[in-house]
Amino acid sequence: MSDLFTDLVAEDALAAIRDAEPEEAARRLREILAAHPERVDLWHALAVVELRRGEARDAYALTFEAEKVARERADETAGQLMGPIHLVRGAAAEELDDPAAAEAAYRAVLVHEPDNPRVRQALGYLLLGWGRLDEGLAELRGYLDDRTDQPEYLDATEKLVEAARRFVADDVHPREFLEAHRGAYVEFFDHHAKRMSEQGWMMEPARMVRADDGRVVPVIPEGARPYAAVRVDMVDPKTGQVGRVGDQPMIVALAGYEPLARAQVLVDWPEDDVPFPVWVSSQCPWNHLPVQVRFEPGVERPVEVLDPVVGDWYTAGFEGAFGTPEGERFHEITDLEDRGDGRVAFWVDCGRARTDAVRDLFNRLHLLHDRAPIAAVLLGRGFVPR
């Protein structure tokens, strides 16, 4: 295969990336690389494509292959790609919930390119989403002072930094993030509920089935925990048609601090009656609330330890403990996921339940903490601080 033909095919593959055809682009790039494994630029391009396809693990592995080839070639072109390769590695590591690996990737670039704007910005945002607020703001302040990036990126980051500093200076409690997300979602839900109720639809019914003994019991999805009953947002009783209020997690801006909604900014919970660190993210969608619990080293089988506590809490919310028997109840919960390093993650559709559900969860975790020490809890999107 001639170099000219290789470049033409590579250009075709990169065009497929631009045309939003990542699967075809990946196929073409792999085809070329099979014949020309020395092309660092195409290893990097393939890593980018796989990351865009949602294949973060493949993208992460490909960056090491790209780096290996770049070091073997050791020419100017390969050297120029080292920064972009590490940037993709960092982004892939973030997708894989490995902030330490992401930080290492970004800092590897900054050793040789301390003013690299894209990497400085990525590192700053990573630190904000990892609970290292002061470090993240300092990194972003340096990025802004360099003034080497495009104006639109600088402007957006300037507004984010200013909002974060005001949030801290104003001593705003992070529960306000939860209240804002819950309030906006409930307002949105109520708007649709009123209209559909007038047409005879039922709001927040549980999915039920008749058991062999004749009892009507909640439907538990196959493979789910025995407490993982499900409510739908609404249903037409005449046809059985199910309706959903919003098909995506609803991210909401807190009034006066709107730029914080564009990033994952973790703020610590200041109350002394919680015996372990708690963090709340500026992105904490109430209809798809991520919850992460990290146990101290030595706690074995953390999923099994946490499961009964989460089960009792979810059941209480499902039955109306944080609302009423007629409404304002939990709708759905995912399985508990072991993230390694003592971390357990799950997601809850809190429906229209009140935010005192969070305080109830803290109380239950407080009791668990006495026998299975908890290192940190995070509500919302981000990385559990260490």
Side-chain angles (χ1 to χ4, degrees):
M1 185 181 293
S2 69
D3 290 340
L4 176 60
F5 181 74
T6 300
D7 287 335
L8 289 174
V9 177
E11 183 178 340
D12 189 30
L14 296 177
I17 300 175
R18 293 191 296 271
D19 295 339
E21 300 175 5
E23 292 80 8
E24 180 63 15
R27 185 190 68 78
R28 296 179 190 176
L29 286 168
R30 290 185 184 278
E31 181 180 89
I32 302 166
L33 281 167
H36 290 268
E38 77 284 356
R39 291 288 297 265
V40 183
D41 58 335
L42 298 185
W43 282 111
H44 169 255
L46 181 57
V48 171
V49 170
E50 294 295 9
L51 186 61
R52 291 180 179 176
R53 291 180 61 211
E55 301 294 338
R57 196 167 301 282
D58 287 345
Y60 187 73
L62 284 164
T63 65
F64 287 95
E65 188 64 36
E67 181 181 8
K68 175 185 174 184
V69 174
R71 293 190 183 282
E72 289 173 350
R73 291 195 55 170
D75 58 20
E76 183 178 354
T77 300
Q80 291 174 345
L81 282 169
M82 289 299 286
I85 289 169
H86 279 84
L87 187 59
V88 175
R89 182 179 301 167
E94 290 194 49
E95 290 294 323
L96 294 171
D97 192 33
D98 191 345
E103 181 183 13
Y106 297 145
R107 293 197 185 280
V109 179
L110 295 176
V111 169
H112 304 289
E113 303 175 48
D115 299 328
N116 186 309
R118 191 63 65 242
V119 175
R120 291 201 75 174
Q121 185 190 50
L123 177 59
Y125 277 76
L126 168 70
L127 295 173
L128 294 183
W130 200 5
R132 295 161 64 177
L133 185 62
D134 290 341
E135 292 178 73
L137 291 177
E139 193 66 48
L140 292 177
R141 187 71 262 170
Y143 155 82
L144 291 169
D145 291 343
D146 290 341
R147 309 303 297 180
T148 56
D149 208 352
Q150 298 176 41
E152 59 269 29
Y153 296 128
L154 291 167
D155 181 63
T157 302
E158 182 80 61
K159 290 176 180 176
L160 173 69
V161 169
E162 190 275 333
R165 292 198 184 282
R166 279 195 300 106
F167 187 92
V168 174
D170 295 345
D171 197 26
V172 181
H173 198 291
R175 76 163 66 89
E176 295 301 322
F177 286 135
L178 295 165
E179 293 287 355
H181 281 79
R182 188 262 176 188
Y185 177 69
V186 170
E187 182 179 357
F188 181 66
F189 194 111
D190 288 348
H191 169 76
H192 290 281
K194 181 177 184 300
R195 180 168 57 87
M196 300 307 293
S197 293
E198 292 171 351
Q199 299 177 30
W201 287 57
M202 297 173 57
M203 298 300 114
E204 300 184 89
R207 293 183 59 196
M208 308 294 284
V209 66
R210 189 171 298 279
D212 294 340
D213 60 4
R215 293 181 301 115
V216 177
V217 296
V219 171
I220 306 297
E222 184 176 355
R225 302 283 169 169
Y227 53 78
V230 176
R231 291 188 184 280
V232 297
D233 293 346
M234 57 184 69
V235 66
D236 183 349
K238 297 187 294 291
T239 66
Q241 180 183 350
V242 171
R244 189 172 185 86
V245 179
D247 57 357
Q248 295 293 329
M250 182 179 286
I251 302 297
V252 175
L254 179 61
Y257 310 93
E258 286 82 0
L260 299 183
R262 295 199 297 263
Q264 299 169 6
V265 181
L266 271 55
V267 182
D268 62 310
W269 192 277
E271 296 181 20
D272 295 334
D273 58 341
V274 181
F276 40 78
V278 173
W279 305 80
V280 180
S281 173
S282 57
Q283 296 184 349
C284 49
W286 196 243
N287 63 326
H288 194 265
L289 181 66
V291 180
Q292 296 186 63
V293 178
R294 182 165 60 83
F295 290 93
E296 294 283 3
V299 176
E300 299 181 356
R301 297 185 294 278
V303 168
E304 295 179 26
V305 169
L306 185 61
D307 184 68
V309 175
V310 171
D312 289 345
W313 175 70
Y314 178 74
T315 299
F318 188 84
E319 294 176 351
F322 317 119
T324 69
E326 291 76 36
E328 301 178 348
R329 296 165 291 186
F330 286 171
H331 286 193
E332 192 171 0
I333 188 170
T334 65
D335 202 0
L336 275 63
E337 178 185 349
D338 190 338
R339 293 282 183 87
D341 193 31
R343 295 173 299 156
V344 180
F346 60 96
W347 291 257
V348 186
D349 180 348
C350 297
R352 292 186 286 182
R354 300 186 305 269
T355 56
D356 57 330
V358 170
R359 169 54 65 181
D360 186 82
L361 176 61
F362 291 167
N363 291 340
R364 294 172 188 270
L365 292 176
H366 190 161
L367 296 175
L368 176 63
H369 179 69
D370 293 337
R371 56 185 177 83
I374 294 171
V377 174
L378 169 61
L379 303 177
R381 296 176 175 178
F383 307 105
V384 184
R386 294 199 62 83

